[in-house]
Amino acid sequence: MNPRLLLPVCLLLGACKQDMADQPRYDPLENSRVFADGMSARTPVEGTVTRDADLAATPDKSPYPITMALLQRGQQRFDIFCSPCHGRTGDGHGMVVRRGFPPPPTYHQDALRKAPDRHFYDVITNGYGAMYPYAARVEPRDRWAIVAYIRALQYSRHAAAGRLPESLRAKLDAEAAR
């Protein structure tokens, strides 16, 4: 080997140290003398936000126009994710309840008819009581579609007869006369 190359090669090899790989570190939940509580693991600072957290403000009402397509999507998503417990009509008597699970509240009670849309969105997102959070399973747009469909279910049972078209009112009167 050329003696002129030997010195630079030796200098380069001497610079290859394992300092980065051999630095002091702790295994998860390992004891430490550094902190007063003796633990090496630290809880996150208050207000710490996960990297994938959605920081957009959630509106109080649906940001999407209520269209037939949105209602149909909401019905589809409701039938998949909600009806096993809440039932197809939102009365709280789904198939899971018939098998012994505690019934959820009916959507047709006054308190839930008066609840803001955001309440339903938040419950779908974060869960409530025995209800599992669906944030990881139902996209935000689909959550709003489900909320719109829940409102349609509520309206279907509590619509004022005076607000119906004349043809439907006549049909209701004929049914009541029977």
Side-chain angles (χ1 to χ4, degrees):
M1 181 172 219
N2 187 346
R4 288 187 189 172
L5 292 176
L6 187 58
L7 181 62
V9 169
C10 288
L11 288 174
L12 284 175
L13 287 176
C16 293
K17 295 174 89 179
Q18 285 282 313
D19 285 343
M20 290 289 287
D22 296 333
Q23 64 184 328
R25 65 172 186 78
Y26 291 102
D27 289 327
L29 304 178
E30 183 179 354
N31 291 334
S32 166
R33 290 177 286 156
V34 175
F35 299 105
D37 64 359
M39 298 298 296
S40 63
R42 310 284 14 132
T43 56
V45 176
E46 188 176 331
T48 301
V49 179
T50 60
R51 295 180 76 182
D52 60 346
D54 180 11
L55 300 179
T58 304
D60 290 331
K61 291 195 167 280
S62 176
Y64 305 104
I66 306 301
T67 62
M68 187 53 74
L70 184 78
L71 288 172
Q72 288 171 339
R73 178 69 176 183
Q75 180 181 18
Q76 179 195 43
R77 302 283 96 185
F78 181 90
D79 288 346
I80 293 168
F81 294 107
C82 310
S83 70
C85 294
H86 291 276
R88 301 282 302 262
T89 61
D91 58 3
H93 299 293
M95 194 56 68
V96 174
V97 174
R98 293 182 204 161
R99 303 288 190 269
F101 196 77
T106 175
Y107 290 133
H108 305 290
Q109 62 180 290
D110 286 339
L112 290 181
R113 280 200 323 268
K114 293 176 184 173
D117 292 348
R118 170 78 182 266
H119 168 76
F120 294 102
Y121 183 88
D122 287 342
V123 169
I124 295 168
T125 304
N126 304 312
Y128 185 80
M131 183 174 156
Y132 187 85
Y134 281 88
R137 296 179 176 147
V138 181
E139 294 296 320
R141 183 178 177 94
D142 286 340
R143 287 180 234 157
W144 285 117
I146 291 170
V147 170
Y149 183 69
I150 289 170
R151 292 301 192 196
L153 285 175
Q154 291 173 329
Y155 189 72
S156 72
R157 287 208 185 160
H158 299 280
R163 297 184 70 188
L164 294 173
E166 186 61 42
S167 61
L168 288 177
R169 275 189 281 170
K171 188 175 180 181
L172 278 176
D173 291 339
E175 292 284 327
R178 286 190 198 178

